[in-house]
Amino acid sequence: MAAGTGLFAEILDGDAYKYYADGVWKKSASGKSVSIINPTTRKTQYKVQACSQEEVNKVMDLAKSAQKLWAKTPLWKRAELLHKAAAILKEHKTPIAECLVKEIAKPAKDAVMEVVRSGDLVSYTAEEGVRILGEGKFLVSDSFPGNERTKYCLTSKIPLGVILAIPPFNYPVNLAVSKIAPALIAGNSIVLKPPTQGAVSALHMVHCFHLAGFPKGLINCVTGKGSEIGDFLTMHPGVNCISFTGGDTGISISKKAGMIPLQMELGGKDACIVLEDADLDLVAANIIKGGFSYSGQRCTAVKVVLVMESVADALVEKVKAKVAKLTVGPPEDDCDITPVVSESSANFIEGLVLDAKEKGATFCQEYKREGNLIWPLLLDNVRPDMRIAWEEPFGPVLPVIRINSVEEGIHHCNASNFGLQGCVFTKDVNKAIMISDAMETGTVQINSAPARGPDHFPFQGIKDSGIGSQGITNSINMMTKVKTTVINLPSPSYTMG
């Protein structure tokens, strides 16, 4: 089944996909649409509705009233619907993966994997939510000095209300469900604003939740221009929590948002520190996986290699040999390296490459670009005065900085304004732990490339990489607040042993 056909025919109107509100697929009253450019062909692939601020207001009202009823739905029932949605999502992986290939040039195999992983995430969230939300705390007053046992305190987790979810282009399905599923199991309603590139994949995913039979108005998906509805959404008084994954837009959102909980993941400059005793074949394999999968367009991609001088030549040779084997071309052919998401992205990457060239970096391959397709490039002898040493390319270009001491590597890692993940390769477990403790990042991987998964692991950044923590359990907790009820007894009551 192709995208926008069969079960998905109702989400398409002519050549434009509809938006989703109050359990119905709708056309925007604006009469306008937003075009989505296919990164490979550089031509318009899809169109989505350009929703207005008035439509956003209506959606917020619907989400608010739907949430009140949903909060009264038993936990097991919420979980049942989530399991149903997960099954439908996995069943229709083919049309959704097709959208991912055409909208964001994700290699076909990876696109299917993203959808399957998303279904698994939804099911796991249902299971986890039933466990952790079904349990509260019971406290007694006499543990605090000066108190008798006259107060019994019962604590539970209650929903926040309306969650605004804003996922990024690179995982528009997986990083949408990682916000939607925890929000729903915890009793919240959802307003999803998908990225423009990735919107059609997200709309297909939302339709799977629609088919599962969730109550009307509980899940809503608005599409449109960021310039028209972006700030309007993030500053909307009806929003009780924002979960955002993306770039530095998140910093401006956090400055403008009201007094509400924020969950933000805003990219990284993940460093890979390689010690003299490291298994260089293992390192090279992880640098290829970490630096070049999905053309380096991942928050947790390896973005700078900090290698001890004595093993640098050997490592660079091993990585060069592996880079030569990477296939380059369209995502439909399942190539390793596919076009980057947009022309502006490709231009930005090229700017970093030209700056490095001008300042004398060693090019291990010749720089080659056709349209949005950039061939994989390893830059050796990168120095701290080059932009690529600090900036996040979000493309298949990887800088290598040679270091003379571990301290130098840690210093470079910690001097970054980012602090998402990092990794260290060594056979010495003591050194690994010492370096891991010294690295100012949300996660340090020992002897493996950075990664967000498995999806129940905590995932967080420090500094400009974000606030709050993700991962299924942390997201559920973050999308609730604590409510306490205190029973006051007329006289102290002690349980007799």
Side-chain angles (χ1 to χ4, degrees):
M1 180 171 67
T5 64
L7 264 184
F8 295 100
E10 70 172 296
I11 78 174
L12 185 59
D13 177 76
D15 68 344
Y17 281 86
K18 301 179 208 173
Y19 79 101
Y20 185 68
D22 203 20
V24 185
W25 290 97
K26 303 179 174 190
K27 278 174 71 172
S28 170
S30 73
K32 291 183 201 153
S33 64
V34 180
S35 296
I36 298 172
I37 309 292
N38 178 322
T40 311
T41 63
R42 294 188 290 159
K43 293 185 169 70
T44 297
Q45 181 72 48
Y46 301 120
K47 286 179 183 167
V48 292
Q49 304 298 316
C51 293
S52 66
Q53 295 187 354
E54 199 180 325
E55 284 162 329
V56 168
N57 279 335
K58 277 187 192 150
V59 160
M60 288 296 173
D61 287 344
L62 293 164
K64 189 176 181 174
S65 43
Q67 189 272 325
K68 297 277 182 261
L69 289 170
W70 182 242
K72 294 176 181 163
T73 306
L75 256 176
W76 67 265
K77 188 85 182 137
R78 293 181 208 164
E80 203 171 68
L81 285 166
L82 282 170
H83 283 303
K84 207 167 162 190
I88 295 168
L89 190 59
K90 287 164 90 165
E91 191 187 332
H92 299 295
K93 58 181 186 274
T94 311
I96 303 174
E98 179 199 318
C99 299
L100 290 168
V101 169
K102 289 177 176 171
E103 286 189 282
I104 60 165
K106 182 161 282 198
K109 233 188 248 137
D110 293 350
V112 172
M113 262 166 57
E114 178 177 343
V115 184
V116 173
R117 171 187 182 181
S118 299
D120 292 338
L121 188 156
V122 174
S123 282
Y124 192 108
T125 306
E127 290 290 332
E128 183 75 346
V130 164
R131 304 288 168 266
I132 64 177
L133 296 167
E135 218 172 75
K137 246 185 180 175
F138 171 59
L139 294 94
V140 287
S141 51
D142 64 310
S143 56
F144 197 88
N147 282 270
E148 290 282 3
R149 190 172 294 204
T150 53
K151 292 172 185 283
Y152 286 175
C153 176
L154 308 171
T155 77
S156 59
K157 288 174 180 150
I158 61 165
L160 294 174
V162 179
I163 312 282
L164 172 62
I166 309 176
F169 81 82
N170 57 351
Y171 291 89
V173 176
N174 186 261
L175 283 171
V177 299
S178 71
K179 305 172 188 316
I180 294 169
L184 291 174
I185 194 69
N188 300 290
S189 61
I190 273 280
V191 176
L192 177 70
K193 165 62 178 80
T196 298
Q197 277 177 275
V200 176
S201 314
L203 290 165
H204 279 75
M205 173 272 296
V206 167
H207 194 53
C208 296
F209 280 81
H210 168 78
L211 295 169
F214 280 88
K216 280 182 176 186
L218 188 67
I219 303 165
N220 308 276
C221 184
V222 292
T223 53
K225 291 195 171 87
S227 55
E228 283 170 28
I229 59 168
D231 280 357
F232 192 74
L233 275 162
T234 55
M235 297 167 76
H236 201 285
V239 171
N240 303 112
C241 166
I242 301 174
S243 178
F244 174 92
T245 306
D248 47 17
T249 313
I251 295 175
S252 61
I253 290 174
S254 65
K255 285 176 180 161
K256 293 171 188 169
M259 198 172 66
I260 54 171
L262 301 176
Q263 185 183 44
M264 302 250 163
E265 191 265 284
L266 315 175
K269 183 71 177 171
D270 295 12
C272 172
I273 298 180
V274 184
L275 271 56
E276 285 151 316
D277 68 341
D279 174 342
L280 295 185
D281 291 314
L282 177 72
V283 178
N286 274 280
I287 285 174
I288 293 293
K289 184 182 85 173
F292 296 104
S293 52
Y294 189 38
S295 307
Q297 298 176 108
R298 293 161 46 252
C299 306
T300 55
V302 169
K303 300 208 177 98
V304 59
V305 177
L306 302 160
V307 57
M308 293 294 280
E309 181 68 68
S310 63
V311 293
D313 286 346
L315 178 63
V316 167
E317 282 312 307
K318 285 180 189 289
V319 177
K320 250 164 84 170
K322 287 183 184 293
V323 168
K325 292 183 184 149
L326 292 172
T327 56
V328 182
E332 287 82 358
D333 299 349
D334 242 332
C335 293
D336 298 314
I337 304 291
T338 54
V340 296
V341 73
S342 65
E343 192 177 341
S344 63
S345 184
N347 290 343
F348 176 76
I349 296 161
E350 184 163 300
L352 295 179
V353 171
L354 296 177
D355 172 79
K357 187 166 203 171
E358 203 179 295
K359 291 173 183 165
T362 305
F363 279 58
C364 298
Q365 298 79 18
E366 64 168 323
Y367 172 65
K368 188 177 172 192
R369 172 184 172 186
E370 278 173 23
N372 295 338
L373 187 60
I374 293 175
W375 269 251
L377 179 61
L378 188 69
L379 298 173
D380 194 6
N381 296 302
V382 166
R383 290 192 321 272
D385 64 333
M386 300 175 191
R387 287 174 55 202
I388 190 97
W390 305 104
E391 294 179 47
E392 184 181 27
F394 237 68
V397 180
L398 183 60
V400 176
I401 297 177
R402 293 168 176 241
I403 55 173
N404 293 302
S405 68
V406 169
E407 289 69 28
E408 203 183 318
I410 294 168
H411 178 265
H412 185 92
C413 168
N414 292 353
S416 171
N417 60 311
F418 290 115
L420 188 60
Q421 291 205 0
C423 57
V424 53
F425 286 85
T426 174
K427 295 191 181 97
D428 184 332
V429 68
N430 300 329
K431 276 186 186 161
I433 295 296
M434 303 277 285
I435 294 166
S436 165
D437 285 347
M439 287 169 84
E440 292 170 6
T441 60
T443 302
V444 177
Q445 303 271 352
I446 295 170
N447 293 327
S448 178
R452 185 163 48 91
D455 286 318
H456 65 304
F457 280 18
F459 179 56
Q460 57 282 319
I462 57 179
K463 297 187 278 195
D464 286 355
S465 287
I467 43 179
S469 179
Q470 299 175 53
I472 290 169
T473 313
N474 287 346
S475 291
I476 294 171
N477 284 327
M478 187 263 164
M479 291 175 182
T480 62
K481 58 180 160 216
V482 173
K483 163 111 189 227
T484 58
T485 302
V486 179
I487 300 164
N488 290 275
L489 302 172
S491 57
S493 176
Y494 291 88
T495 311
M496 305 313 285

